[in-house]
Amino acid sequence: MEMEDYPRTMGQQFGRRSWAEPWKIKMVEPLRIISRAEREAALKAAGYNTFLLRSEDVYIDLLTDSGTNAMSDRQWAALMMGDEAYAGSRSFYRLEAAVQQAYGYRHVIPTHQGRGAEHLISRIAIQPGQYVPGNMYFTTTRLHQELAGGTFVDVIIDEAHDPLSQYPFKGNVDLDKLQTLINQVGAKQIAYISLAGTVNMAGGQPVSMANVRAVRELCDRYGIRIFLDATRLVENAFFIKEREPGYDTRTIAEIVREFCSYTDGAWMSAKKDSLVNIGGWLALNDDQLADEARNLVVVYEGLHTYGGMAGRDMEALAVGIEESLQEDYIRARIGQVRYLGELLLDWNIPIVEPIGGHAIFLDARRFYPHLPQDLFPAQTLAAELYLDSGVRAMERGIASAGRDPKTGQNHYPKLELTRLTIPRRVYTQAHMDVVAEAVKAVYDQRERARGLRMVYEPRYLRFFQARFEPIEG
Ligand SMILES: Cc1ncc(COP(=O)(O)O)c(C=O)c1O
Ligand SMILES: N[C@@H](Cc1ccc(O)cc1)C(=O)O
């Protein structure tokens, strides 16, 4: 299929007719915008790190799509049905069935959120000294792999590191890179393939079904397992349906099931695709590995029938899984992200293309070509955007990439991005217009930006708590 075949806007896809969200608003939460002088004070107090702002001081919050989703009336009703038994909660069995049905794995171990599950899978499936190839790093995923003694190796295709590449499946694994690693270290030294769909750090880019099938075939030749980060797999399935030959008549639910069938298990941050505010799980097909995970979960998360979630959380999650697979929901979800991205493209503002699933990623290298990466261009852009409009974004560049644990040297990622992440079912098209105009205003003053210097650097996941000061001049 040629790239020209893809509809650039949802509007084009449906001719001249507009689309709208498949829900109406039943409850509202007031927003507040503080003055420019107050924003300057708030940003300074936060060390120019948007993670350290108080949400009260934020107008439109595009920090993350994690746990920031609006639940449906059915989910709120489900909360009342939570069974808060310590052991054997009815709500767990309901969740277990929902995960088995939607994702197709045999064993389900609940966790408080995604990184709880990342911790478990890393502890049980990595031997110290082993390698973990994956389609681009994710911060928490890689850290847990490293803490378990593993070394992450990036085997994503080169296109993923190029914000301008229009390749439709920029999340794909490069089979040659994977084969080279196998040849170099030997299959026994590979713990598993860490596969994510979509790929968060690449711009929410999808993996094709053909690619996961090919990875499966390669791994079968060597007896290597594949574990999937299923956090945004529903969004990935939307892109497969839209772009991959043969999938346009398949349902999102069928695509999700087929994708998972090529993998041996998955971990999940349910705070994204599954439309809840907290929760996660680890799912495995192997009985012995599942026993180990079920044993370890009681050490770190809670009993194996709640894993850190309340019974009500598990009820809401079970409903959220079903809702996430509805076609009209996912079309509107991705459609809203595209709406914002296309406004920015119309103004020639540099973003990662094609537009991905959960966010618009501003390309800070092209936005601020005069700022070297050591002056934190993406962090600077997030700070400037907040100052201009009270819109909160997130750095996804050199600060997020952290340091090599062996050499202590900074990683210098090719992608230096500022992420405008869209919570699900929360903001309207008018909010997207305001955000686009705010980005435009910052773009119009781009020569004035001077960059930041890091003055406090925590040891783990530094971007969450690091503090910065502006470069004067
Ligand atoms: C792709 C991906 N994997 C894993 C995680 C970890 O999940 P959590 O934030 O729920 O711990 C996140 C978000 O943090 C994510 O975006
Ligand atoms: N996974 C969430 C929360 C998070 C943010 C940044 C991180 O590096 C880690 C976790 C997100 O992508 O928004």
Side-chain angles (χ1 to χ4, degrees), residues 210-422:
N211 187 250
V212 65
R213 216 180 285 126
V215 174
R216 177 78 272 168
E217 279 168 27
L218 180 61
C219 288
D220 279 349
R221 266 184 261 146
Y222 294 96
I224 299 172
R225 295 173 298 197
I226 305 171
F227 293 123
L228 173 70
D229 183 337
T231 297
R232 296 184 183 84
L233 190 63
V234 175
E235 292 174 1
N236 197 101
F238 177 86
F239 291 112
I240 290 178
K241 185 176 169 97
E242 185 185 60
R243 297 176 182 176
E244 197 160 347
Y247 285 93
D248 54 336
T249 54
R250 304 280 296 277
T251 65
I252 293 292
E254 286 167 344
I255 296 172
V256 165
R257 277 289 291 246
E258 183 184 337
F259 199 101
C260 293
S261 74
Y262 301 120
T263 68
D264 299 288
W267 68 89
M268 179 73 183
S269 171
K271 304 168 71 173
K272 282 84 163 178
D273 263 358
S274 304
L275 296 162
V276 285
N277 305 118
I278 193 71
W281 44 262
L282 175 64
L284 296 161
N285 286 336
D286 184 82
D287 296 343
Q288 196 193 326
L289 213 54
D291 276 346
E292 284 177 47
R294 222 176 263 121
N295 188 209
L296 209 58
V297 77
V298 302
V299 182
Y300 292 106
E301 303 278 317
L303 196 75
H304 57 278
T305 56
Y306 74 87
M309 280 182 282
R312 57 182 172 273
D313 299 333
M314 294 191 280
E315 289 286 342
L317 173 49
V319 176
I321 291 171
E322 287 163 28
E323 291 184 356
S324 73
L325 295 167
Q326 290 166 5
E327 315 266 327
D328 55 356
Y329 153 72
I330 190 68
R331 190 183 318 124
R333 155 65 173 161
I334 307 275
Q336 187 178 44
V337 175
R338 280 188 186 159
Y339 175 83
L340 173 60
E342 282 161 7
L343 286 179
L344 297 175
L345 284 175
D346 285 345
W347 287 329
N348 292 321
I349 293 173
I351 66 171
V352 173
E353 294 179 72
I355 294 167
H358 63 301
I360 296 301
F361 290 71
L362 304 171
D363 184 355
R365 281 185 195 273
R366 282 185 290 146
F367 206 102
Y368 292 143
H370 59 291
L371 293 185
Q373 205 168 12
D374 283 319
L375 294 185
F376 302 98
Q379 188 81 38
T380 305
L381 179 46
E384 293 291 341
L385 187 61
Y386 173 74
L387 278 183
D388 178 82
S389 58
V391 171
R392 169 153 72 171
M394 183 195 293
E395 194 264 8
R396 299 279 73 179
I398 184 169
S400 294
R403 291 176 186 273
D404 183 312
K406 291 195 185 106
T407 65
Q409 295 302 309
N410 273 321
H411 290 293
Y412 283 89
K414 287 208 181 106
L415 296 174
E416 178 69 29
L417 309 173
T418 305
R419 189 179 76 175
L420 303 166
T421 339
I422 316 297

Side-chain angles (χ1 to χ4, degrees), residues 51 63-66 113 115 138-140 200-201 231-232 269 271-272 358 394 396 400 419 421 461 463-464:
F51 276 107
L63 182 74
T64 177
D65 62 330
S66 183
Q113 62 181 75
R115 69 199 77 173
F138 185 70
T139 54
T140 56
N200 191 349
M201 303 299 280
T231 297
R232 296 184 183 84
S269 171
K271 304 168 71 173
K272 282 84 163 178
H358 63 301
M394 183 195 293
R396 299 279 73 179
S400 294
R419 189 179 76 175
T421 339
L461 303 173
F463 55 90
F464 280 134

Side-chain angles (χ1 to χ4, degrees), residues 56-292:
E56 285 189 324
D57 296 334
V58 172
Y59 174 40
I60 297 175
D61 200 348
L62 305 187
L63 182 74
T64 177
D65 62 330
S66 183
T68 52
N69 307 305
M71 291 208 298
S72 67
D73 50 0
R74 289 176 63 234
Q75 287 178 290
W76 280 100
L79 287 180
M80 296 304 293
M81 303 304 292
D83 174 1
E84 307 302 343
Y86 187 90
S89 162
R90 185 184 60 234
S91 307
F92 167 70
Y93 294 106
R94 179 149 157 53
L95 171 62
E96 181 187 49
V99 174
Q100 286 168 337
Q101 164 69 27
Y103 295 89
Y105 300 110
R106 291 181 59 200
H107 302 283
V108 180
I109 294 103
T111 61
H112 76 285
Q113 62 181 75
R115 69 199 77 173
E118 289 174 339
H119 178 208
L120 299 181
I121 188 72
S122 304
R123 290 281 292 259
I124 62 178
I126 301 173
Q127 303 294 328
Q130 283 188 317
Y131 294 87
V132 191
N135 54 345
M136 199 171 271
Y137 85 99
F138 185 70
T139 54
T140 56
T141 315
R142 183 178 66 188
L143 177 60
H144 281 294
Q145 291 164 354
E146 287 170 355
L147 291 173
T151 301
F152 176 81
V153 182
D154 189 6
V155 293
I156 202 166
I157 55 173
D158 288 341
E159 286 85 343
H161 295 280
D162 174 4
L164 284 172
S165 162
Q166 297 291 330
Y167 194 72
F169 290 103
K170 283 167 84 174
N172 281 357
V173 170
D174 184 325
L175 295 168
D176 292 336
K177 289 186 189 171
L178 182 54
Q179 181 71 64
T180 305
L181 181 72
I182 297 171
N183 296 347
Q184 269 169 3
V185 306
K188 287 213 160 37
Q189 275 303 92
I190 295 192
Y192 55 86
I193 311 294
S194 177
L195 182 74
T198 59
V199 181
N200 191 349
M201 303 299 280
Q205 303 294 330
V207 177
S208 71
M209 197 70 89
N211 187 250
V212 65
R213 216 180 285 126
V215 174
R216 177 78 272 168
E217 279 168 27
L218 180 61
C219 288
D220 279 349
R221 266 184 261 146
Y222 294 96
I224 299 172
R225 295 173 298 197
I226 305 171
F227 293 123
L228 173 70
D229 183 337
T231 297
R232 296 184 183 84
L233 190 63
V234 175
E235 292 174 1
N236 197 101
F238 177 86
F239 291 112
I240 290 178
K241 185 176 169 97
E242 185 185 60
R243 297 176 182 176
E244 197 160 347
Y247 285 93
D248 54 336
T249 54
R250 304 280 296 277
T251 65
I252 293 292
E254 286 167 344
I255 296 172
V256 165
R257 277 289 291 246
E258 183 184 337
F259 199 101
C260 293
S261 74
Y262 301 120
T263 68
D264 299 288
W267 68 89
M268 179 73 183
S269 171
K271 304 168 71 173
K272 282 84 163 178
D273 263 358
S274 304
L275 296 162
V276 285
N277 305 118
I278 193 71
W281 44 262
L282 175 64
L284 296 161
N285 286 336
D286 184 82
D287 296 343
Q288 196 193 326
L289 213 54
D291 276 346
E292 284 177 47

